[in-house]
Amino acid sequence: MLFRKAYSKNIGFNVTIMLLALLYASIMLNLLFLRDRYLMDGYAYNLVPFDTIERYVVYRDHFNFDTWFKNLFGNLVLFIPIGMFLPLLNTRYKRSHMLVAACICLIGAVELMQMLLKVGSFDIDDIILNTAGAWIGLLLTRPFMRRGSRK
């Protein structure tokens, strides 16, 4: 069965979560690969953890607010739903280490594809911020999962 390891035994709930997750994935696909993208001349990457984050914090007054906000908080907030959908669709991801490992792999693959397709850069700090956002999503979801365990 498709939802054998899902949080809920309620098929309607699981189908709704799956449809919302697919809608979220299509929106993210558009944001990460299609919207306002131009092909870069070369490959851009940052492999130094916290380098970009530090630059945005230390030199905050050198960036316009939109750029600063999107790069720090957008990378957190946009990935909160992953931390909500994954544990609801498969209870193995209700443990922090499983969710973090899955997010690092998933987001790392997305970052690598953005760089190879030349529609963005590979930035280790994006992986850190995106994974932190997913973890926040897990923390927000856990109380509800405890309250109505496997209804």
Side-chain angles (χ1 to χ4, degrees):
M1 183 169 169
L2 178 64
F3 299 114
R4 189 172 58 104
K5 293 190 178 213
Y7 155 74
S8 177
K9 292 181 182 178
N10 182 320
I11 297 297
F13 177 81
N14 292 333
V15 168
T16 301
I17 294 299
M18 178 67 80
L19 291 173
L20 288 171
L22 290 172
L23 176 63
Y24 168 77
S26 65
I27 291 168
M28 291 305 289
L29 177 71
N30 183 49
L31 286 173
L32 296 170
F33 292 101
L34 305 173
R35 184 186 61 100
D36 297 335
R37 298 292 179 187
Y38 57 91
L39 292 180
M40 300 171 71
D41 289 334
Y43 298 111
Y45 57 90
N46 168 40
L47 301 175
V48 180
F50 302 103
D51 184 57
T52 306
I53 295 169
E54 180 182 26
R55 194 173 314 127
Y56 281 117
V57 171
V58 172
Y59 300 106
R60 185 172 130 199
D61 55 330
H62 290 76
F63 297 98
N64 68 45
F65 180 78
D66 284 351
T67 301
W68 178 82
F69 190 82
K70 286 177 187 174
N71 280 284
L72 288 180
F73 296 101
N75 276 319
L76 276 170
V77 172
L78 284 175
F79 286 81
I80 288 174
I82 289 177
M84 300 170 99
F85 291 134
L86 284 179
L88 290 173
L89 293 171
N90 189 319
T91 56
R92 116 178 20 146
Y93 298 111
K94 71 180 183 179
R95 295 185 299 273
S96 289
H97 68 281
M98 291 298 290
L99 179 78
V100 167
C103 286
I104 288 171
C105 292
L106 175 67
I107 296 163
V110 167
E111 289 287 315
L112 186 62
M113 286 191 300
Q114 283 182 318
M115 183 184 73
L116 294 176
L117 295 172
K118 297 182 179 180
V119 295
S121 63
F122 180 97
D123 193 338
I124 194 75
D125 289 346
D126 285 350
I127 296 172
I128 292 168
L129 290 169
N130 298 164
T131 301
W135 185 69
I136 290 168
L138 174 64
L139 294 179
L140 293 171
T141 304
R142 274 186 179 164
F144 299 103
M145 292 179 75
R146 283 190 198 112
R147 196 173 299 147
S149 189
R150 300 233 1 127
K151 285 185 180 174

